[in-house]
Amino acid sequence: MASLLHPWVLGFFLVLAVVGRATAGGYSTPVFRATPWKLAHATFYGDETASETMGGACGYGNLFGSGYGTDTAALSSVLFNNGYGCGQCFQLRCVNSPSCYKGSPITTLTATNLCPPNWAQDSNNGGWCNPPRTHFDMAKPAFMKIAQWKAGIVPVMFRRVTCVRKGGIRFSFQGNAYWLLVYVMNVGGGGDVANMWVKGTKTGWISMSHNWGASYQAFANLGGQALSFKLTSYTSHETVIAYNVAPANWQVGLTYGCNVNFH
């Protein structure tokens, strides 16, 4: 049962399991809820085409192909959290600046990149992403939805919100038969991943270590086996199992989809 999700995306096998989070009465399926509004600042990088925002520290590659588009932002290291912030969704609105658009419109962003510290600049004058600042360096088209781009930097209110994704989680393969590196994309709910496991048809569940951004790795001989994955959300602690995501003849350089996602 194959379905092409994208020219570089191979379709999925049968996948279905939502485990949820353990409770005293068994398992529940927690739903991520919006957090309170907080104050931060926002800048932008790149131009109106957002070409400079493609790729990024999370490893999502071409953001149009992976479904994120131009509504994205690079996070300061405080929010990026060593890559565990990848995929998280935020609502932002410009406040307390003459450059804010009337009505203070709200835009929703996905975290796809890291805004690194610039220790050569003062934190209040150019070093906007220096710790402990909470900062969003937005793709320019996203910034232009809330403020005049000539402002350069504006104060914003932000909050974490549920990531609403179309379709299931996607797994982009790199590595080889003995070292599998997987980039996890299109994650719903909290949008993030805390832990990940892989299971071949000849193995039990193998814990994958966090590499960087939204990538996880397993040092194991998994060639010639259909692969299943188990993931836990960093935020909601919900767990999902995606059975038989990739066929036995899986290949690096391809992305495999499933029909399961976080809520």
Side-chain angles (χ1 to χ4, degrees):
M1 181 171 64
S3 173
L4 286 175
L5 301 178
H6 192 268
W8 45 265
V9 178
L10 192 67
F12 56 78
F13 282 6
L14 176 63
V15 182
L16 181 60
V18 180
V19 178
R21 178 169 54 186
T23 64
Y27 283 98
S28 66
T29 303
V31 177
F32 177 76
R33 302 186 187 284
T35 64
W37 290 95
K38 296 180 180 179
L39 182 64
H41 285 80
T43 50
F44 67 87
Y45 68 117
D47 58 20
E48 285 85 346
T49 67
S51 59
E52 292 182 34
T53 69
M54 298 297 109
C58 291
Y60 295 140
N62 185 305
L63 299 179
F64 293 109
S66 54
Y68 298 111
T70 60
D71 291 329
T72 63
L75 306 181
S76 61
S77 56
V78 172
L79 291 171
F80 189 74
N81 191 21
N82 293 320
Y84 291 109
C86 287
Q88 293 178 351
C89 296
F90 299 85
Q91 285 184 338
L92 270 71
R93 55 188 178 91
C94 179
V95 295
N96 302 326
S97 169
S99 297
C100 297
Y101 289 144
K102 186 177 181 180
S104 192
I106 295 173
T107 190
T108 302
L109 308 172
T110 300
T112 60
N113 203 356
L114 167 68
C115 180
N118 182 358
W119 301 115
Q121 300 292 332
D122 184 88
S123 296
N124 294 311
N125 185 22
W128 309 122
C129 291
N130 295 350
R133 288 183 65 102
T134 301
H135 190 85
F136 297 85
D137 198 17
M138 303 167 64
K140 189 174 182 179
F143 186 90
M144 292 171 65
K145 290 182 178 181
I146 62 171
Q148 300 174 35
W149 68 267
K150 292 183 179 180
I153 181 171
V154 293
V156 295
M157 297 296 292
F158 78 97
R159 65 175 180 174
R160 283 276 314 278
V161 294
T162 300
C163 293
V164 180
R165 301 294 182 207
K166 295 181 180 179
I169 299 171
R170 299 176 186 177
F171 304 85
S172 181
F173 285 18
Q174 299 295 330
N176 53 55
Y178 300 91
W179 171 60
L180 180 63
L181 179 66
V182 180
Y183 290 90
V184 189
M185 302 179 291
N186 202 50
V187 179
D192 47 29
V193 177
N195 301 104
M196 185 169 167
W197 298 259
V198 60
K199 182 183 184 303
T201 48
K202 301 176 184 178
T203 74
W205 286 107
I206 299 170
S207 178
M208 303 181 74
S209 59
H210 183 221
N211 184 287
W212 178 251
S215 67
Y216 288 77
Q217 61 191 358
F219 296 91
N221 183 2
L222 296 168
Q225 302 179 58
L227 302 182
S228 303
F229 294 96
K230 179 168 60 173
L231 301 88
T232 300
S233 168
Y234 187 87
T235 301
S236 69
H237 309 293
E238 179 186 6
T239 297
V240 295
I241 301 176
Y243 289 109
N244 298 317
V245 171
N249 63 344
W250 58 265
Q251 300 177 46
V252 298
L254 294 179
T255 297
Y256 298 87
C258 70
N259 60 0
V260 67
N261 214 323
F262 293 110
H263 295 275

